[in-house]
């Protein structure tokens, strides 16, 4: 299946950070993401967003060292349990009401690659590679090659996005409709990390490492995508790629468990109610996918009515049973 570029609506400022010979934008953002039936990304709510302008020294030999900082934006709910709960709840209900899916939590961190280490948890790269990113970023800001915000007829801010790497299908899910994505995301867990580069007017997310899985009780180890590193290196050398920031995407509804205040908010009654609504919503989508292929035999007076009154665990078991039945039918068909 050919994977084509998608659109990212309301992208956080950190993925669009820019700079010039006078200074550079520094900071980061964490946001809740959703996807629609075309796999376009949406920033539902901001958990935090911090962006400052770092002015360089205007002295010979110090042109790439930060002299002063000026805060341009600061917005955060990550330290406030009540505000964080409300942000998650609002996101979940908005996702349901607009026929989308909870995709995960995205972190974008921009440091102009001035640090000797990556600042994204879970990613470790050699200093030599980071030094190349540093030099390439300088060229990017000197020549103002940062991505441009696009707008559609409705005035929505968006950019084009592509995922790159040997495991890109872990972030750009395969499927043709919302039900396909729902089936993948309901069990998704883990994260992917890497580097955002611009090329041909799009923000390319190069996956350097991930441990994303779509099964229970599976815990893969992290790795470094050496081939992707070579592609970035070659792209930078040929002036086709221009690095912007680091990224990390934690996939699925389980990504909320990575929040610092998770243990403080996870039992909140309003939050639990939102989770129940979302569980019924996504389970219904998966059931819709399976019901055409599954047995036409009714559970009782009406299949959908019976399915609707099941408990959460019973619905999950029913989906597992249907999935197993479909696999058996597929095997028999191939024979």
């Amino acid at each position: 299946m050919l994977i084509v570029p998608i659109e990212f609506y309301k992208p956080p400022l950190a993925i669009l950070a820019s700079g010039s010979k006078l200074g550079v934008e520094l900071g980061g953002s964490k946001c809740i993401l959703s996807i629609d039936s075309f796999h376009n990304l949406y920033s539902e709510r901001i958990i935090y967003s911090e962006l400052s302008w770092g002015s360089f020294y205007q002295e010979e030999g110090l042109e790439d060292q930060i002299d002063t900082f000026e805060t341009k934006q600061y917005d955060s709910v990550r330290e406030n349990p009540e505000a964080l709960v409300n942000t998650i709840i609002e996101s979940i209900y908005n996702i349901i009401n607009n026929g989308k899916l909870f995709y995960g939590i995205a972190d974008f961190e921009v440091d102009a690659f001035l640090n000797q280490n990556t600042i994204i948890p879970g990613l470790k790269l050699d200093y030599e590679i980071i030094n190349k990113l540093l030099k390439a970023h300088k060229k990017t800001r000197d020549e103002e090659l940062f991505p441009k915000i696009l707008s559609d007829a409705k005035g929505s801010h968006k950019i084009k996005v592509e995922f790159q790497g040997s495991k890109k299908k872990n972030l750009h899910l395969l499927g043709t409709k919302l039900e396909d994505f729902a089936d993948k995301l309901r069990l998704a867990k883990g994260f992917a990390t890497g580097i955002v580069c611009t090329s041909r007017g799009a923000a390319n997310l190069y996956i350097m490492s991930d441990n994303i899985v779509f099964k229970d009780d599976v815990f893969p180890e992290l790795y470094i995508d050496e081939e992707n590193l070579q592609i970035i290196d070659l792209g930078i050398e040929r002036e086709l790629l221009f690095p912007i920031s680091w990224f990390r995407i934690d996939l699925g509804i389980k990504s909320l468990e990575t929040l610092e205040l998770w243990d403080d908010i996870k039992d909140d009654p309003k939050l639990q109610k939102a989770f129940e609504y979302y569980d019924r919503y996504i389970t219904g989508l998966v059931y819709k996918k399976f019901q055409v292929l599954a047995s036409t035999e009714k559970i009782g007076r009406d299949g959908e009515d019976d399915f609707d009154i099941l408990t959460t665990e019973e619905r999950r078991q029913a989906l597992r049973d249907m999935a197993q039945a479909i696999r058996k039918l597929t095997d028999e068909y191939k024979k």
Side-chain angles (χ1 to χ4, degrees):
M1 179 179 179
L2 177 65
I3 295 181
V4 298
I6 57 180
E7 293 181 332
F8 189 174
Y9 289 84
K10 298 188 297 183
L13 293 180
I15 199 176
L16 304 166
S18 61
S20 68
K21 294 180 179 180
L22 298 178
V24 66
E25 288 181 322
L26 305 168
S29 62
K30 181 189 289 282
C31 60
I32 295 174
L33 296 183
S34 66
I35 59 170
D36 62 17
S37 57
F38 298 100
H39 208 300
N40 293 318
L41 293 169
Y42 296 80
S43 177
E44 289 291 334
R45 296 291 187 277
I46 295 294
I47 295 176
Y48 78 85
S49 182
E50 304 170 87
L51 201 65
S52 298
W53 177 261
S55 298
F56 295 126
Y57 281 100
Q58 298 302 303
E59 300 177 22
E60 186 176 352
L62 299 175
E63 298 90 343
D64 295 329
Q65 295 187 32
I66 303 295
D67 181 16
T68 60
F69 289 93
E70 178 186 355
T71 300
K72 298 181 63 176
Q73 182 198 59
Y74 180 81
D75 185 16
S76 176
V77 298
R78 60 178 173 177
E79 304 90 357
N80 186 326
E82 183 177 356
L84 181 58
V85 166
N86 290 335
T87 296
I88 297 172
I89 291 175
E90 290 170 3
S91 298
I92 290 175
Y93 288 142
N94 188 62
I95 287 169
I96 295 173
N97 292 335
N98 288 281
K100 295 184 288 186
L101 294 171
F102 192 108
Y103 181 72
I105 293 178
D107 284 274
F108 296 97
E109 299 287 342
V110 55
D111 65 346
F113 303 98
L114 295 171
N115 295 313
Q116 293 186 2
N117 300 294
T118 69
I119 53 178
I120 289 292
L123 179 60
K124 295 181 179 180
L125 298 177
D126 293 338
Y127 172 72
E128 181 181 352
I129 296 172
I130 297 177
N131 192 47
K132 288 183 179 180
L133 295 171
L134 168 64
K135 293 179 180 179
H137 191 276
K138 182 180 186 307
K139 176 181 177 60
T140 304
R141 59 180 184 261
D142 285 350
E143 298 184 13
E144 299 183 2
L145 298 169
F146 295 94
K148 305 298 182 183
I149 283 283
L150 304 177
S151 295
D152 60 19
K154 298 179 181 179
S156 299
H157 293 296
K158 62 182 181 179
I159 59 174
K160 292 183 179 180
V161 171
E162 292 185 50
F163 293 108
Q164 307 290 351
S166 61
K167 299 288 188 70
K168 63 183 177 182
K169 67 179 181 180
N170 284 348
L171 288 184
H172 194 147
L173 308 175
L174 300 181
T176 58
K177 51 187 179 297
L178 201 65
E179 294 92 319
D180 296 328
F181 305 142
D183 187 26
K184 295 287 288 184
L185 286 171
R186 67 190 179 93
L187 294 177
K189 62 182 179 181
F191 64 89
T193 64
I195 303 165
V196 181
C197 297
T198 59
S199 177
R200 298 168 305 188
N204 288 261
L205 277 65
Y206 283 85
I207 304 167
M208 294 292 97
S209 184
D210 90 284
N211 62 358
I212 292 173
V213 293
F214 303 94
K215 297 180 180 179
D216 287 325
D217 303 322
V218 177
F219 304 93
E221 294 184 1
L222 289 169
Y223 64 94
I224 294 294
D225 192 332
E226 298 293 344
E227 182 178 346
N228 226 10
L229 279 176
Q230 293 176 10
I231 292 174
I232 292 176
D233 191 20
L234 185 61
I236 289 174
E237 183 179 323
R238 295 184 177 180
E239 299 184 355
L240 298 173
L241 292 178
F242 308 94
I244 302 297
S245 65
W246 307 101
F247 79 87
R248 168 170 165 153
I249 295 178
D250 289 82
L251 203 62
I253 196 75
K254 293 183 180 180
S255 63
L256 292 169
E257 298 175 10
T258 65
L259 297 175
E260 294 179 8
L261 293 181
W262 175 248
D263 288 338
D264 298 323
I265 67 172
K266 63 181 181 180
D267 296 323
D268 183 276
K270 294 184 296 182
L271 186 60
Q272 287 299 317
K273 184 177 180 180
F275 285 151
E276 290 176 6
Y277 275 116
Y278 185 74
D279 185 78
R280 294 174 69 85
Y281 168 69
I282 195 171
T283 304
L285 286 171
V286 179
Y287 176 75
K288 181 180 178 181
K289 174 183 178 179
F290 285 153
Q291 70 178 144
V292 176
L293 299 174
S295 172
T296 57
E297 182 179 348
K298 298 295 184 180
I299 300 174
R301 61 187 183 281
D302 185 274
E304 288 194 35
D305 288 343
D306 286 333
F307 189 78
D308 192 53
I309 63 175
L310 295 177
T311 66
T312 297
E313 183 53 40
E314 288 171 337
R315 290 200 301 272
R316 289 174 178 168
Q317 184 59 51
L319 290 172
R320 287 194 289 266
D321 292 343
M322 282 189 283
Q324 184 176 7
I326 291 172
R327 283 196 295 270
K328 289 181 178 180
L329 288 172
T330 302
D331 290 340
E332 291 178 5
Y333 176 79
K334 289 180 178 180
K335 293 178 182 179

